[in-house]
Amino acid sequence: MGAVQETAVEGAVAGGTVDAVNRLTARWADAVADGTVFSAAGVWPLLAFLGDGASGAARAELADALGLPADQAAAAARELLAAMGSMPGLRSALGLWTGPRLTVREEWRAGLPADTHGVLGEDLPACQRELDAWAAERTGGLIERMPVALDEDVTMVLASALTLRAEWPRPFDEVPLCPESGPWQERELAGLRRTGVRLDRVGVASGPHGHVTGLKVPGTNGIDVHLLLGEQRMTPGQVLGTGVDVLARRLPVVPSGQLPYGDVGPGLRVEQQHCVTPRPPEVTVTAVAFDLRTRHDLLGLHGLFGLTTASDTAEGHFSGISPSPLAIGQAQQSTVAQFGALGFRAGAVTAIAPAPAGAGPDRRFTNTVVTVHFDRPFGFLAVDRESHLILTAGWVTDPTPHRG
């Protein structure tokens, strides 16, 4: 197997591509029913390169999933990978491996970033170890194995990896947290608490499905993590979809400093408190630490990713990739997200493997105090601050327990 290089080309990503990736995030969120973490940014470039080499109904379905015409997909994917390679706090990589019996059309392979092509040898266990090592190295050990398994039917593997890390300029304080109500009631959790003066970091958006309280936690390296708490009746997809619409400026947000007093949003209260000396307004955030690890079978959501026809092995669908008939045999993503007192880190490895087809004191002063609690299931988006590209997203249902 040959070496596969990390993308590291500087570039900017067009707003249309960012919107297409983020819309895929929102559609994926609609399929979420439990705790999870996922990365549409890890899937989208792979679908784009497949779409560039697809034909017939498979090409049309992939274009629909991408939100771009298939003949524009490869260029947009190259642009996206180049931009991701230059984003602070983010490492991204693309890899292509092909078996000796598969002929790949040079014009399609030339459309991928340079130095991304490796070879699958006859020794499958050795090849699997090399693929696993690639995944581990490209994610800093967060994900130890390539999510697809090699067998005699696998003639090609197209994979992406991304890792993001954000440190908080001011760490959270670690505190035990015992929610008084909700699904986490009576559990002692690893709580995180921090007080600051930036009331604009917390706000409420009113979407078509209800109100969502959002908290932006900026990292030191250009990556922000947005925590999203919706009304209890809202689904994960509705909450995360509202967050996506806010990033795209399709929905306005009212900052907490402009909200009236009282319980003004999910988990959010604004009140006036008496104090001994003049004090500026302040916001106190209480959240929970979490460590999520998820494996996704993308073919289980084949309609979402435009892989319905492409996974039909009765005939080939990728004449632009190879003269040999190919269909999608495996499509998997492994993801990790960790949110704690010092920062956030996440990793995703996505792999698609085509297979052969055909088979008391005087208190005279007052100040405004905002408190927000993320003490029941909530969503999160990890976002590149400049482009608003969503790198990972998830839904937290099982936070980290407190270990005293």
Side-chain angles (χ1 to χ4, degrees):
M1 294 173 64
V4 183
Q5 300 296 320
E6 184 174 342
T7 60
V9 183
E10 293 189 1
V13 59
T17 302
V18 170
D19 189 58
V21 178
N22 290 355
R23 285 182 182 274
L24 180 59
T25 298
R27 295 198 303 274
W28 196 344
D30 280 335
V32 169
D34 205 348
T36 191
V37 53
F38 58 93
S39 175
V43 178
W44 199 93
L46 306 187
L47 299 180
F49 289 125
L50 289 175
D52 179 56
S55 57
R59 185 177 178 89
E61 290 172 4
L62 281 162
D64 186 58
L66 289 164
L68 287 178
D71 58 1
Q72 300 176 20
R78 289 193 298 271
E79 176 189 73
L80 176 64
L81 290 168
M84 289 170 63
S86 65
M87 289 177 182
L90 177 69
R91 293 182 62 202
S92 67
L94 184 82
L96 169 69
W97 296 264
T98 57
R101 292 185 295 275
L102 180 70
T103 300
V104 176
R105 296 191 189 279
E106 183 57 35
E107 57 268 31
W108 179 80
R109 186 170 60 186
L112 273 64
D115 301 319
T116 59
H117 190 196
V119 176
L120 296 174
E122 298 291 343
D123 187 344
L124 292 183
C127 291
Q128 186 74 60
R129 288 192 294 271
E130 284 202 42
L131 292 180
D132 293 345
W134 183 89
E137 180 182 350
R138 294 320 191 271
T139 61
L142 280 177
I143 296 172
E144 297 179 349
R145 293 179 176 84
M146 186 69 76
V148 297
L150 297 182
D151 57 35
E152 293 181 354
D153 287 334
V154 174
T155 58
M156 174 178 135
V157 175
L158 182 63
S160 72
L162 62 85
T163 310
L164 55 144
R165 297 174 185 269
E167 296 181 352
W168 314 138
R170 289 192 306 111
F172 286 82
D173 293 324
E174 296 180 287
V175 296
L177 177 64
C178 299
E180 296 179 357
S181 61
W184 300 338
Q185 186 177 7
E186 299 181 355
R187 291 180 59 183
E188 189 171 26
L189 305 174
L192 305 172
R193 185 166 293 151
R194 193 170 74 184
T195 297
V197 297
R198 294 289 302 271
L199 301 188
D200 59 338
R201 297 270 170 82
V202 178
V204 177
S206 179
H209 305 290
H211 294 87
V212 173
T213 296
L215 166 70
K216 181 170 73 173
V217 188
T220 56
N221 52 6
I223 291 176
D224 300 331
V225 178
H226 297 249
L227 305 186
L228 304 167
L229 184 70
E231 298 179 39
Q232 293 196 41
R233 59 180 174 78
M234 294 176 69
T235 67
Q238 291 169 346
V239 175
L240 291 167
T242 299
V244 173
D245 286 341
V246 166
L247 284 173
R249 297 185 173 88
R250 290 188 288 267
L251 284 177
V253 175
V254 181
S256 62
Q258 299 177 20
L259 293 167
Y261 296 130
D263 295 317
V264 291
L268 179 62
R269 181 171 180 80
V270 179
E271 56 189 339
Q272 192 176 64
Q273 293 186 354
H274 293 279
C275 51
V276 177
T277 58
R279 296 173 59 182
E282 64 183 32
V283 55
T284 297
V285 174
T286 303
V288 293
F290 57 82
D291 185 338
L292 301 175
R293 299 171 186 270
T294 310
R295 177 82 169 263
H296 299 281
D297 179 4
L298 306 184
L299 293 183
L301 296 170
H302 53 82
L304 171 65
F305 298 111
L307 296 175
T308 302
T309 297
S311 58
D312 180 0
T313 58
E315 58 182 297
H317 311 286
F318 297 97
S319 58
I321 295 178
S322 173
S324 302
L326 294 173
I328 302 302
Q330 299 180 58
Q332 302 275 343
Q333 183 180 86
S334 293
T335 47
V336 173
Q338 299 168 335
F339 185 97
L342 302 180
F344 175 86
R345 65 176 187 167
V349 175
T350 310
I352 296 178
D362 178 15
R363 302 177 184 269
R364 294 177 293 119
F365 303 96
T366 61
N367 76 317
T368 299
V369 176
V370 177
T371 56
V372 58
H373 290 80
F374 292 84
D375 58 1
R376 57 178 172 82
F378 61 91
F380 69 89
L381 303 172
V383 181
D384 173 65
R385 187 178 303 149
E386 182 175 348
S387 67
H388 287 181
L389 175 68
I390 299 170
L391 301 169
T392 58
W395 186 255
V396 180
T397 59
D398 190 18
T400 304
H402 175 68
R403 295 179 178 89

